[in-house]
Amino acid sequence: MHLKYKGISLVRYFLIRHFLKANKITYSPFSKNSVIWGARNERQVGDVVIEDGFIRSNGLGVNYAMPYSLVFDDVGIYFDATKPSKLENLLNSRYISKELIVRSRCIIESLIKNRLTKYNVGDFESLEVPADKMKILVPGQVDGDASIRFGSPEIKSSIGLLKQVRLEYPDAYIIFKPHPDVVSGHREIEGSIEDFYKIADDVVPNISITHLFEVADEVHTLTSLSGFEALLRGKRVVTYGLPFYAGWGLTVDKLSCSRRSRKVTIEELVACSLILYPTYLNPTTGLEITIEETIEAISKEDSNNEKLRLYLRVLLLLRKLRSRIIRH
């Protein structure tokens, strides 16, 4: 497939070049269509949109942690609820075999056992919570992020969500976890930490989300992937927007999407979103791997790998230089 590149910087190209090859995409300045990163650019029929997969890396993408998975969507993109996506079409119509159901169950067990999420950041600190109150986890997101712009037509900010949850559950013990990109200082949100403390009972920027799943009774979210990760762990999930996992009978939804016409099991959701939809590659070899191999690799990955740390330092330096050039 010969396509132009749109929204793909030199640094990002370095990170995803093996994925482009695996999806048989080559650059052509003469193509009418493009391969596009995310939703920052307008797409047309025939374009392919790329985004991070749901089990991405050991570290934040904003810090250029090497990705293990990306999605290539030639229909829409999973976080844009205003129109269909390849993932939505899979969930609406794909027959899921018994083999895939068994694989999905094993994947869920492995993710829980290894405490893996999308980015795998945070500390496993203890958190004291009251035993006599319902405990609600509210994962923060980045205000203005594409998943909120295209998937949450009513509430548009983390502070807005937190206010709504407190309004509906005045007696609950509410735990707010800011988004990792906000904690790292790369992204901003409406309001200050003090504003969140005025509403939530606790604000926990550095505790691992998997540990918070263990202490929470419910997870309330706009469109955060944390809601999907909580579903895998058997938690009650309430959605105030339209994330890809809402509307299929697994979540309590404040909004509805008429296109999502089917009830699915958690295994079917996992089969479509974690097995069939993404592309998985070993970032060291550039070779395709399965999600099972990805889980094993991330769980064993040495975060102190000197070669990897050197790559990341170089990429971060390039980003800083680019920002300075743009400012001047």
Side-chain angles (χ1 to χ4, degrees), residues 55 108-121 123-125 208-214 233 295 298-299:
I55 305 294
I108 293 171
E109 291 174 3
S110 184
L111 289 172
I112 295 172
K113 176 184 176 183
N114 290 288
R115 288 183 159 184
L116 293 190
T117 58
K118 181 177 182 178
Y119 294 122
N120 305 292
V121 294
D123 302 320
F124 290 100
E125 301 175 12
S208 167
I209 191 76
T210 56
H211 179 64
L212 298 177
F213 290 147
E214 293 170 5
R233 291 157 174 84
I295 291 171
I298 292 179
S299 64

Side-chain angles (χ1 to χ4, degrees), residues 170-223:
D171 299 322
Y173 188 86
I174 299 177
I175 305 163
F176 177 72
K177 178 174 173 57
H179 191 278
D181 286 354
V182 175
V183 175
S184 68
H186 292 296
R187 306 290 287 274
E188 296 181 354
I189 55 174
E190 178 186 335
S192 64
I193 291 295
E194 290 74 20
D195 294 326
F196 288 96
Y197 266 114
K198 291 175 183 176
I199 306 169
D201 294 283
D202 203 354
V203 178
V204 288
N206 297 314
I207 296 181
S208 167
I209 191 76
T210 56
H211 179 64
L212 298 177
F213 290 147
E214 293 170 5
V215 301
D217 298 308
E218 300 184 358
V219 174
H220 290 232
T221 182
L222 295 176
T223 60

